[in-house]
Amino acid sequence: MNYQEGLMVFESILPTIVGITLGGLVFIGIQEFWHEFSVECKGGL
């Protein structure tokens, strides 16, 4: 595999890795948000 082919493989994999990483962070963020939100609601009642 030469340099150009390696670059193409890297460019095709990178967006997938970035997408999965961002998706995971958003998912964790939403879970944290809902957890805090439910704690606040229970505490306020």
Side-chain angles (χ1 to χ4, degrees):
M1 188 161 69
N2 63 27
Y3 176 74
Q4 198 68 37
E5 287 173 355
L7 203 61
M8 284 177 67
V9 170
F10 183 71
E11 285 180 352
S12 65
I13 291 171
L14 191 64
T16 307
I17 294 170
V18 169
I20 290 168
T21 303
L22 287 175
L25 287 172
V26 167
F27 184 70
I28 291 166
I30 289 169
Q31 281 188 321
E32 285 294 314
F33 172 78
W34 278 117
H35 177 72
E36 293 295 320
F37 185 73
S38 64
V39 167
E40 286 295 317
C41 285
K42 287 175 186 169
L45 291 172

